[in-house]
Amino acid sequence: MTPKKVFIILMSINLLNYIDRQILFSVFPLIKADLLLSDTQLGLLASAFMLVYMVIAPLVGYFADRTPRQIWIAISAFLWSIATMFTGTVKNYFQLLTARSLIGVGESGFTSVSPSFVAERFPASSRARVLAFFSLALPIGSALGYLLGAWMGDLIGWRAAFFIVGLPGIILAFIVFLKVKDTRPAKLAPQEKPDIKQYAALLKNKTFLYVCLGQAMGTFTLGGLAAWMPSYFNRCFGLSVGAAGTLFGAMIITAGAAGTFLGGIIADKLIKRTQKAYFITSYVSFLAALPFAVAALFAGSKTAAIILLSLAIMLVFLQNGPMQAAIVASTDIKVRSMAFALNIFIIHALGDAISPAFIGKVSDMFDIRIGILFSLVFVIPAGLFAMAASKYYKPENIS
């Protein structure tokens, strides 16, 4: 199968990854009324997903680097799609929590394996652009999850919505299993199979480690914004809850997609001049985002705040493709699933798993502007870590 066909199939699965992840949140009111749940119980569904997602990723990454990776992509997509459909049949909170956790298992496996699986089919000169396109699934798929959930929830009910969005993943999982092949040998010699100690070796790879820490700081910022920006527009500009959520969702899909797309283009053009293009693109975009974000928080009008914040969001998203390409470039092909799995654990454990709570605490102590400002300053260490990754990078790892 040609690289373009493989990309299209895996990009489609990646879109479903974010659709199936986010659709739950748009039907919270319907589930709450149907199953008689509290807001705390609903919130724990998101926490359960993230905890399982983080913990399972390194385990899947280890086994994926010892076996044909397309098998793990197919199993992962099949598992979370079945779990998504099962969500539509649940009778109580325990079953809903179980379904959500299984979705986390499946999606962690796919996200650990798919970026390097896609990138290796394209030359190094275009990898940042390819991975940027692949990363567009995040803003687009997330927005579709919210929109489809809201639309189908009202039209046909929340249970049917989960059946409909879960089915395509099952079909695509079988296509991957039957048609897509790994670029690595089907059978690795015993000495070629990485062992669990490779995780320790990855942590000693300073380029990889600093890339992960840079992304974690950026994820801290984005996770905080995702949780609290609708409340900011509600409290500071008087928008209704629905209008504030819709506005911020539109900003994420437009500014996030534009930033992700531009980051890949810029890095691939710059790599013709310097092998450190991925890092330069990332740290410049991180650091450039801060003044726009701060200006947005203290802007005197809603329009100015929207424009300035959109520019900041675009700049923070700019690093998506380049930073993923940097992981591919700084790690050996034999351990890349493990590398992306460890990356998942680090960026979420140090990023959006903790930032919403921290920002909420700062907001309680002062006000919401100060709380959001607290999250925004993390783009500074994000940029500094990207600089450090650049310092230690040796381009001979590209393959």
Side-chain angles (χ1 to χ4, degrees):
M1 187 175 287
T2 66
K4 288 185 178 180
K5 288 182 179 179
V6 172
F7 177 86
I8 290 170
I9 291 171
L10 266 65
M11 178 62 175
S12 299
I13 296 176
N14 205 22
L15 281 169
L16 292 172
N17 170 18
Y18 289 101
I19 290 172
D20 293 357
R21 184 185 305 187
Q22 304 293 358
I23 189 172
L24 175 76
F25 303 122
S26 64
V27 294
F28 262 1
L30 301 177
I31 295 176
K32 178 182 175 70
D34 193 2
L35 299 181
L36 303 176
L37 303 180
S38 68
D39 285 347
T40 300
Q41 287 176 307
L42 291 174
L44 284 173
L45 295 174
S47 299
F49 169 88
M50 188 56 68
L51 180 62
V52 172
Y53 183 76
M54 287 164 42
V55 172
I56 295 297
L59 185 64
V60 175
Y62 168 72
F63 286 108
D65 275 332
R66 298 170 65 87
T67 51
R69 289 172 294 177
Q70 76 274 11
I71 295 174
W72 291 94
I73 292 173
I75 291 172
S76 297
F78 181 82
L79 175 60
W80 96 59
S81 298
I82 286 291
T84 298
M85 296 181 73
F86 172 65
T87 304
T89 70
V90 299
K91 303 300 182 184
N92 55 55
Y93 182 68
F94 176 76
Q95 292 177 355
L96 184 59
L97 193 65
T98 300
R100 194 65 182 169
S101 299
L102 289 173
I103 293 172
V105 173
E107 293 192 4
S108 70
F110 176 78
T111 311
S112 299
V113 177
S114 58
S116 59
F117 194 88
V118 168
E120 289 160 11
R121 286 170 162 73
F122 296 87
S125 60
S126 63
R127 280 182 184 165
R129 186 165 63 252
V130 168
L131 288 172
F133 276 112
F134 194 67
S135 297
L136 285 173
L138 194 165
I140 296 174
S142 296
L144 286 173
Y146 283 113
L147 293 172
L148 288 172
W151 177 64
M152 288 191 292
D154 284 339
L155 188 65
I156 56 177
W158 68 270
R159 294 182 182 276
F162 282 100
F163 275 100
I164 292 172
V165 298
L167 182 60
I170 296 173
I171 298 170
L172 289 172
F174 278 103
I175 292 174
V176 170
F177 185 79
L178 296 173
K179 298 293 185 180
V180 176
K181 303 299 179 185
D182 202 337
T183 55
R184 300 185 311 193
K187 292 185 178 180
L188 298 174
Q191 67 272 18
E192 294 179 309
K193 294 181 179 181
D195 59 37
I196 202 71
K197 295 178 182 178
Q198 288 298 320
Y199 277 123
L202 282 167
L203 290 174
K204 294 178 182 178
N205 179 337
K206 291 183 178 179
T207 300
F208 169 76
L209 179 59
Y210 286 133
V211 165
C212 292
L213 291 174
Q215 284 188 299
M217 299 300 97
T219 302
F220 188 101
T221 295
L222 288 174
L225 293 179
W228 290 104
M229 283 310 299
S231 296
Y232 163 77
F233 282 115
N234 170 253
R235 298 180 195 178
C236 297
F237 293 104
L239 272 68
S240 69
V241 172
T246 301
L247 172 61
F248 188 66
M251 291 167 65
I252 287 292
I253 193 172
T254 54
T260 301
F261 174 76
L262 288 173
I265 298 293
I266 292 169
D268 278 344
K269 287 186 178 296
L270 190 59
I271 203 155
K272 297 173 183 178
R273 298 186 178 184
T274 172
Q275 292 296 315
K276 297 189 175 185
Y278 305 144
F279 311 99
I280 295 171
T281 304
S282 298
Y283 68 68
V284 170
S285 63
F286 273 135
L287 297 176
L290 185 59
F292 290 105
V294 174
L297 288 181
F298 297 97
S301 72
K302 181 180 68 175
T303 301
I306 292 170
I307 293 172
L308 290 166
L309 187 62
S310 294
L311 289 171
I313 290 171
M314 182 184 72
L315 287 165
V316 176
F317 268 89
L318 210 76
Q319 51 76 36
N320 273 349
M323 287 295 244
Q324 290 196 57
I327 293 175
V328 174
S330 61
T331 57
D332 189 272
I333 190 173
K334 297 175 185 177
V335 296
R336 282 184 184 151
S337 295
M338 294 176 72
F340 275 96
L342 185 56
N343 172 260
I344 288 170
F345 183 86
I346 292 172
I347 67 173
H348 292 296
L350 300 179
D352 54 3
I354 57 176
S355 62
F358 270 102
I359 294 164
K361 182 66 175 178
V362 175
S363 179
D364 285 339
M365 293 172 62
F366 301 100
D367 63 42
I368 195 166
R369 278 194 175 94
I370 301 300
I372 292 173
L373 181 62
F374 176 81
S375 75
L376 292 171
V377 298
F378 276 74
V379 297
I380 297 176
L384 295 177
F385 280 128
M387 285 185 184
S390 177
K391 176 182 176 182
Y392 290 103
Y393 175 62
K394 296 179 180 179
E396 63 264 22
N397 285 327
I398 295 181
S399 62

